[in-house]
Amino acid sequence: MGIEIRPVRVPHQADAEASAELDAYAALIRRLDLERLGTDELARPVTELVRQFADDPYRAHVPLGAFDGDALVGIAELEWERDDQARTAYLEMLGVVPERRREGIGSALLERAERIARDAGRPTLVLAADHPADAGSDGDEVLHAPQGDATIPAGDPPARFAVARGYALGQLDRVSVLDAAARADEFRSRLDGLAASARYRVRTWVDHAPDDLLDSLAVAHERMSVDAPSGAIDYELERWDADRVRDDERRTAAMGRTTLTAAAVAPDDTVAGFTVLSLPAGSPAVEQWDTIVLAAHRGHRLGMRLKLENLVLLEATDATRERVYTWNADENEHMLAINIDLGFRPFALESVWQRP
């Protein structure tokens, strides 16, 4: 029997067959994370995937599976903005079980993803892959992104796969981890000693943003999509308004995640910057999501202040969390310096690829 490439069925009601497929999909995510990263504490459980892949008015999600009969032997995850102006799709993950590699399954998944993206009017496809922080050794041939100093071994399997299919390395993200347990007093002390501008107030919340900040928070989200360093990757504008902020809150809560936000508020009562921590259900880990200070408000140490405020909020909300993971473009020297100052240490690299 040949390999069948098709979307993984997502159960919206009691559907045993679809549930079994999504169970296998989640299990393979966990297996691939353990292989590449050495931990599965960031792997998404089925309960989260069901909600993530449910109808989303702002972003399309297509989980693809490679099936050998009933066995799931490979996966790929494709998404894109539903905005009619968007032309880029993102392949956030692609992997094949170790015992079935070098059979063309990964290539078949990529080809199907490229076809789906083209049919959706998204001719540009961006790929992402994980690499251990210590991948390679002295003397290995390495690949450099157009910006930044980090490298990955040219012989690392995801790199070989991408290059062989015509994709070029456009950016490297540093994945870092912070040991955060029982450090709230330290973070408070650092806040007290921080020489920060008194012009800005910091407001924090759990899950649900204050109504009076919704419109300017949407503006900050929109700027986050294009203001962050992007190397040679064509990241597109995400259009945000107050309705999208509220929809994102509802969907994230339905996934079982708790969201912590610290926002800097300017004298005109608009959001000057924000940072987000996402707490996945059933994990000791926390994911650092977006952090941005809008261009007009930089130079006031708001990035450090916001991160410290949110780390204090983290312990007050869930003191069982042990680690915070963050992703930063290797060329983003300012944010990397803040993270290093906070105590983040290297964990992995994420490569981002685009066909020229």
Side-chain angles (χ1 to χ4, degrees):
M1 181 180 296
I3 299 296
E4 179 188 10
I5 308 294
R6 61 171 172 79
V8 173
R9 285 173 285 198
V10 179
H12 297 291
Q13 297 178 345
D15 184 340
E17 191 171 359
S19 295
E21 286 191 8
L22 200 61
D23 284 345
Y25 187 93
L28 187 45
I29 290 175
R30 192 172 299 277
R31 183 178 179 185
L32 294 170
D33 274 7
L34 281 169
E35 178 189 7
R36 299 299 293 173
L37 300 175
T39 180
D40 62 356
E41 61 188 18
L42 297 176
R44 291 160 293 160
V46 170
T47 50
E48 178 170 330
L49 294 172
V50 168
R51 298 306 309 167
Q52 181 178 354
F53 298 149
D55 290 340
D56 182 340
Y58 300 100
R59 199 165 179 88
H61 303 266
V62 182
L64 288 172
F67 292 89
D68 187 353
D70 292 331
L72 182 67
V73 296
I75 55 176
E77 197 164 304
L78 183 67
E79 57 185 61
W80 62 85
E81 286 287 298
R82 293 191 186 276
D83 181 1
D84 290 341
Q85 303 302 312
R87 291 294 177 265
T88 301
Y90 304 93
L91 197 65
E92 301 291 342
M93 176 179 56
L94 189 153
V96 176
V97 295
E99 61 271 20
R100 298 298 301 272
R101 291 173 187 162
R102 307 188 70 80
E103 296 180 21
I105 296 172
S107 296
L109 282 163
L110 177 59
E111 289 168 7
R112 180 64 181 273
E114 290 173 335
R115 186 164 66 251
I116 291 172
R118 286 195 303 270
D119 291 346
R122 300 335 188 245
T124 299
L125 187 62
V126 173
L127 317 181
D130 291 321
H131 307 263
D134 58 353
S137 59
D138 292 342
D140 285 343
E141 181 184 355
V142 297
L143 297 177
H144 297 260
Q147 299 176 17
D149 299 321
T151 63
I152 55 172
D156 205 20
R160 290 203 317 269
F161 179 87
V163 170
R165 285 147 188 85
Y167 287 81
L169 180 61
Q171 190 172 42
L172 285 171
D173 287 336
R174 292 184 182 268
V175 188
S176 308
V177 62
L178 173 72
D179 298 313
R183 294 182 62 187
D185 288 344
E186 173 192 341
F187 298 139
R188 285 192 198 93
S189 177
R190 294 198 60 174
L191 266 173
D192 291 342
L194 187 64
S197 173
R199 294 178 56 229
Y200 297 90
R201 296 174 290 125
V202 174
R203 295 174 65 178
T204 62
W205 61 85
V206 178
D207 292 335
H208 193 79
D211 289 340
D212 62 300
L213 295 182
L214 269 184
D215 289 334
S216 61
L217 182 62
V219 171
H221 273 288
E222 193 164 284
R223 295 316 309 169
M224 180 71 205
S225 67
V226 290
D227 283 2
S230 57
I233 302 299
D234 293 332
Y235 290 112
E236 294 179 319
L237 179 72
E238 296 178 3
R239 301 185 187 277
W240 284 75
D241 56 16
D243 288 340
R244 183 166 185 174
V245 173
R246 288 293 187 230
D247 181 79
D248 185 66
E249 290 174 345
R250 288 189 293 270
R251 292 176 60 81
T252 303
M255 292 177 193
R257 286 179 175 256
T258 300
T259 304
L260 312 182
T261 304
V265 181
D268 63 357
D269 294 325
T270 63
V271 171
F274 72 93
T275 188
V276 177
L277 292 174
S278 180
L279 284 59
S283 172
V286 177
E287 295 176 4
Q288 171 72 65
W289 283 3
D290 292 349
T291 299
I292 185 172
V293 176
L294 299 184
H297 304 283
R298 292 171 188 164
H300 301 286
R301 304 211 67 189
L302 291 177
M304 175 64 82
R305 185 176 172 190
L306 290 172
K307 289 205 169 191
L308 286 168
E309 291 276 11
N310 229 20
L311 288 168
V312 171
L313 179 61
L314 171 62
E315 183 157 313
T317 304
D318 186 349
T320 68
R321 301 287 169 154
E322 300 173 8
R323 284 170 293 282
V324 178
Y325 291 87
T326 189
W327 291 255
N328 301 102
D330 182 51
E331 65 268 27
N332 192 350
E333 296 179 356
H334 176 69
M335 194 58 66
L336 285 167
I338 291 175
N339 289 337
I340 291 169
D341 194 11
L342 285 169
F344 279 90
R345 50 187 169 80
F347 174 72
L349 289 169
E350 182 180 69
S351 59
V352 190
W353 307 78
Q354 185 173 317
R355 183 174 285 155

